[in-house]
Amino acid sequence: MLLSSSTSAVHSTVTEVFTEAASTDVEAAGLAIAVALVACGTVLRTRDSRTNGTIFSALGYGFAVLVLAVAVHSNGALTGADAPVAQWFLDHRNSTLDHLAIAITTAGGPPETAALGILVAVVLIWRTKRYGPALVLLATVAAASILCSALKLIVGRERPPLSIQLMLETDPSFPSGHVTGSAALLLMIALIVSARRPTAVRVLFLGIALAITVVVACTRMYLGVHWLTDVCAGALIAAFMVTLGGYALHRLDTATTDESTLTRHVSQVAR
C-alpha cells in the first residue's frame, strides 16, 4: 500500500512538472510567433507593402492577445510575474502617489476617454472639413473597447484582492479597459496629428502616446485593480485596432491626394 501511494505521488508530481513545462513552451512559442508576425509586418510596411504589412502586424498583435488570454484562463506561466509586480507597487505606495494615481486613472476612465474622443473628432471635422479621419478615430476606439469588454466576459478573470485595492473594482479584470481605451485614442491622435510629417515627428508623437499609456497602465497596477497581464493585454488590443485604424487613415489620405491631383489636372485641362 505504501509503495503504491509513493508511486502514485511520484507519478502525479512528474505529470504536473511536465504539464507545466509543456504549457510554458506553448506560451513561449505563441509569443514568439506573435513577435515574428509583427516584425514581418513592420518590414513589409518599410518596403511599401502597407496592406500586407498591416495584415501581418494585426495578426501578430491579435495572436499575442489570444496567447495571454489562454495563459490567464489556465493560470499559465505568463501570469507568473503578476503577483511580484503587484507586490512591488504595493511596497512603493505613499499618499502623494496615491492621489496622483487616482487623478490619472480617473482622467483615463472609459467615460472620459469617450468624451475626449468625441471632442477630438469634432475639432478634426472643424479644422479639416473632412469627416473620414474623425469617423476612423471614433470607430477604432469604439471597436477596441467593445473587443476589450467581450474578452472580459469570455475570460472572466477576478480582480486583485480587495485588500490591496485603493479603488473598488468588481467587474472582470482581464484585459484593462482603461489601458485599451486610452492607448487606442492616444495612438490614433498621434497618427492623425503626425500625418504627412517627417519620420522624426511621427516617432515623437507616437513616443508621447506610448509614454502616457505606460503611465496609465502603471496607475492601474499601483491602485491594485489590475494585474500586469491585464494591462499588457489592453495595450495589445489597442495596438491591434490602431494598426487597422492607421491603415484606414492611410487609404483615406491616399484617396484624398488622388482626388486633389485629379481636380488640379482637370482644372489645367479646362484652361
Side-chain angles (χ1 to χ4, degrees):
M1 179 68 71
L2 181 60
L3 179 60
S4 177
S5 298
S6 300
T7 303
S8 177
V10 171
H11 180 269
S12 298
T13 302
V14 171
T15 301
E16 182 178 350
V17 169
F18 276 97
T19 300
E20 183 176 350
S23 174
T24 302
D25 289 342
V26 170
E27 292 173 22
L31 285 184
I33 292 172
V35 171
L37 288 170
V38 173
C40 287
T42 302
V43 171
L44 287 171
R45 281 200 300 272
T46 59
R47 295 180 178 179
D48 294 329
S49 182
R50 186 174 290 270
T51 300
N52 291 332
T54 298
I55 293 172
F56 273 88
S57 293
L59 285 174
Y61 291 126
F63 196 72
V65 173
L66 178 61
V67 171
L68 279 181
V70 172
V72 167
H73 185 70
S74 61
N75 196 29
L78 291 177
T79 64
D82 285 345
V85 170
Q87 185 61 49
W88 186 89
F89 279 106
L90 186 63
D91 294 339
H92 290 80
R93 283 178 176 173
N94 60 59
S95 58
T96 301
L97 289 177
D98 290 352
H99 289 95
L100 181 61
I102 291 173
I104 292 173
T105 203
T106 300
E112 291 76 13
T113 299
L116 179 58
I118 293 172
L119 177 61
V120 171
V122 171
V123 171
L124 277 174
I125 295 172
W126 175 62
R127 291 292 301 272
T128 66
K129 304 299 188 275
R130 297 170 58 202
Y131 288 91
L135 292 177
V136 170
L137 169 72
L138 294 177
T140 301
V141 177
S145 299
I146 292 171
L147 180 56
C148 176
S149 298
L151 277 177
K152 280 180 177 288
L153 295 176
I154 293 171
V155 178
R157 187 185 203 183
E158 292 185 359
R159 294 274 181 170
L162 293 177
S163 59
I164 70 170
Q165 291 189 26
L166 292 182
M167 296 179 68
L168 180 62
E169 299 278 5
T170 57
D171 62 315
S173 185
F174 179 93
S176 168
H178 277 67
V179 174
T180 301
S182 298
L185 177 60
L186 291 170
L187 289 170
M188 286 302 294
I189 292 175
L191 289 178
I192 292 172
V193 173
S194 63
R196 300 185 182 183
R197 296 180 183 272
T199 301
V201 175
R202 293 173 64 85
V203 171
L204 174 62
F205 278 104
L206 288 173
I208 293 173
L210 289 173
I212 298 175
T213 298
V214 170
V215 171
V216 172
C218 287
T219 63
R220 300 303 286 167
M221 291 184 288
Y222 178 90
L223 293 170
V225 294
H226 275 300
W227 303 105
L228 175 62
T229 42
D230 298 337
V231 299
C232 288
L236 288 168
I237 290 173
F240 171 75
M241 291 309 309
V242 169
T243 299
L244 300 177
Y247 179 73
L249 287 174
H250 169 72
R251 297 293 297 176
L252 282 174
D253 188 56
T254 301
T256 302
T257 302
D258 292 343
E259 183 179 348
S260 299
T261 302
L262 179 60
T263 302
R264 287 197 301 269
H265 179 70
V266 171
S267 298
Q268 291 172 358
V269 171
R271 291 175 186 174

